[in-house]
Amino acid sequence: MKTAILLLNLGTPDSTKTSDVRKYLREFLMDGRVIDINPVGRWMLVNLIIAPFRAPKSAKEYRKLWTPQGSPLLLHGLKVKEDLQKILPENYSVEFAMRYQNPSMQSVLEKMSRANYDRIIILPLYPQNASSTTGSSLEKAMQIISKWWVIPEIKMISQYYDHPKYIQAFVERGREHDLKSYDHVVFSFHGVPERHVDKVYFDNRPCKDHHCEEGITDENKFCYKATCYNTAKRIAAELNISEYTVVFQSRLGRDPWLEPYADKTIEQLAKNGVKRLLVFSPAFVADCLETTVEIGEAYKEMFEEHGGEHLQLVNSLNDHPTWVECLRDLAMQSDRKSTRLNSSHL
């Protein structure tokens, strides 16, 4: 049986030119799952305010991140695709696409449609499920595939925040540092507006009333906030970290986003006397603007300005072998479940 695995990440501009960054921002922010407001208001906000004014500033930030070969997010994605292919059986093929920009989902899925696969496994590279990442990527894939004349069996993996090898990969990254030399540890996840997590629940109670910091329940198992806290808890337990703080970064606009905010928390830790701070960023599995520049430069500078001496960012997973093994296991476990289900109906 021919099986294809489609790895998906969020996206990156084609270059650091302001025009390319503006194009990327427009596609990204015009997504109704990212900015979930009235379409007319979203169009005006993105095209008349955010893209024109933010693109030049963002282009400067992307230049700090860029390598001679291009975007790290793209380069690591392609490397993971290559490494994953090497450890899979011969009947598996691996493809990689971006939700926004290139390689586009449209072009990659079109190529896959011509390969006549028996089964396609769609695997977004976002361990914690959020509507603006996982939801958007899976929705886009369904929109494209729904237009095919022949639709093979489709499997979608929506989250794996607690997968043992995902946790282990970050544990191994953490062990690259002398943990005892740090005064405090922070786990920083990408933020989302509070209304995004409130929409997960059907009992008319907001996320904040579901005790997501305490553990996973049947009610909050798809809540981004709950899964972020659970990921941090599992990594900390494996590393014997008893005291740590979970924060959320990269908020946009004036609406309430998930708290505590990363920048304010890191500033306060410095003011409270923390001198050496170690920061994990488990929602990002590859180097990107939010890790390398936002945490590794902006937060580091802010921490030192308020009395801290050293902020160390733990490396992203990138093409770490344990991370690649995690993706293999996720895909093959999904494939085996599907095979067992089909066999039970014979």
Side-chain angles (χ1 to χ4, degrees):
M1 180 172 288
K2 292 172 58 179
T3 299
I5 301 168
L6 176 59
L7 304 176
L8 296 175
N9 214 330
L10 201 67
T12 182
D14 290 335
S15 78
T16 59
K17 294 179 181 178
T18 300
S19 57
D20 282 337
V21 174
R22 184 179 293 114
K23 181 180 178 182
Y24 168 72
L25 289 175
R26 281 175 173 157
E27 183 181 0
F28 171 43
L29 297 175
M30 280 301 295
D31 187 337
R33 284 182 177 266
V34 176
I35 300 183
D36 55 331
I37 63 174
N38 178 280
V40 175
R42 180 170 59 247
W43 188 95
M44 295 178 67
L45 177 65
V46 172
N47 290 281
L48 302 181
I49 300 175
I50 299 179
F53 294 100
R54 190 181 180 95
K57 297 178 182 178
S58 294
K60 291 180 181 178
E61 298 301 296
Y62 274 110
R63 290 182 195 116
K64 298 177 183 177
L65 175 72
W66 229 248
T67 72
Q69 293 76 35
S71 164
L73 194 69
L74 176 58
L75 296 173
H76 289 302
L78 294 173
K79 183 64 164 57
V80 165
K81 169 193 167 183
E82 177 185 328
D83 290 351
L84 179 58
Q85 185 70 70
K86 292 176 182 177
I87 63 173
L88 284 166
E90 292 183 357
N91 62 312
Y92 285 83
S93 297
V94 185
E95 298 290 347
F96 174 75
M98 294 293 195
R99 171 61 182 88
Y100 311 106
Q101 296 299 287
N102 298 303
S104 71
M105 291 178 65
Q106 182 70 48
S107 63
V108 174
L109 279 166
E110 183 178 339
K111 171 188 171 184
M112 294 172 69
S113 72
R114 296 194 296 268
N116 208 28
Y117 291 110
D118 298 289
R119 181 178 296 136
I120 294 175
I121 300 170
I122 300 175
L123 178 45
L125 300 180
Y126 327 118
Q128 297 80 21
N129 189 318
S131 178
S132 55
T133 53
T134 308
S136 176
S137 297
L138 295 181
E139 180 184 45
K140 182 67 173 180
M142 287 188 283
Q143 288 174 352
I144 295 169
I145 293 171
S146 69
K147 295 179 172 59
W148 294 359
W149 188 256
V150 176
I151 299 178
E153 182 178 353
I154 306 294
K155 299 289 292 183
M156 296 182 176
I157 298 174
S158 65
Q159 61 180 359
Y160 42 94
Y161 61 90
D162 58 350
H163 191 281
K165 285 192 175 177
Y166 160 68
I167 299 299
Q168 184 60 29
F170 265 111
V171 167
E172 290 172 11
R173 284 299 197 205
R175 286 177 177 153
E176 294 172 1
H177 304 275
D178 179 7
L179 300 178
K180 293 181 180 180
S181 70
Y182 292 92
D183 303 323
H184 197 71
V185 174
V186 163
F187 291 90
S188 183
F189 295 84
H190 199 290
V192 298
E194 286 184 358
R195 65 178 182 273
H196 282 204
V197 289
D198 289 346
K199 290 178 182 180
V200 170
Y201 301 99
F202 299 100
D203 58 7
N204 296 317
R205 292 188 297 137
C207 169
K208 63 184 179 181
D209 289 347
H210 287 83
H211 310 290
C212 292
E213 302 88 346
E214 299 175 9
I216 299 295
T217 67
D218 193 55
E219 287 185 330
N220 69 17
K221 62 186 177 183
F222 289 112
C223 175
Y224 178 74
K225 180 180 178 180
T227 58
C228 288
Y229 270 91
N230 191 269
T231 293
K233 180 179 179 180
R234 288 173 181 268
I235 296 172
E238 289 292 328
L239 291 171
N240 295 314
I241 298 171
S242 57
E243 293 187 14
Y244 61 90
T245 304
V246 174
V247 299
F248 298 91
Q249 65 183 88
S250 310
R251 67 187 183 277
L252 176 67
R254 298 179 180 178
D255 290 342
W257 281 48
L258 291 180
E259 295 187 46
Y261 296 142
D263 52 355
K264 292 183 178 180
T265 300
I266 289 173
E267 178 181 325
Q268 192 60 50
L269 285 169
K271 291 178 177 179
N272 289 348
V274 171
K275 298 300 181 183
R276 291 176 57 81
L277 183 66
L278 187 67
V279 182
F280 288 81
S281 191
F284 303 99
V285 298
D287 293 334
C288 58
L289 206 62
E290 289 82 356
T291 58
T292 305
V293 178
E294 186 172 13
I295 298 176
E297 293 189 14
Y299 289 178
K300 178 182 175 67
E301 181 179 337
M302 179 180 63
F303 180 69
E304 292 173 355
E305 284 179 354
H306 290 89
E309 294 178 357
H310 179 60
L311 182 151
Q312 177 64 54
L313 171 65
V314 175
N315 287 336
S316 295
L317 299 183
N318 295 326
D319 58 350
H320 192 289
T322 306
W323 165 232
V324 178
E325 290 174 7
C326 171
L327 297 174
R328 176 199 60 192
D329 291 357
L330 283 166
M332 295 192 70
Q333 287 164 6
S334 173
D335 211 13
R336 283 195 291 268
K337 287 179 183 177
S338 177
T339 301
R340 288 197 299 269
L341 181 62
N342 290 338
S343 298
S344 70
H345 286 83
L346 294 177

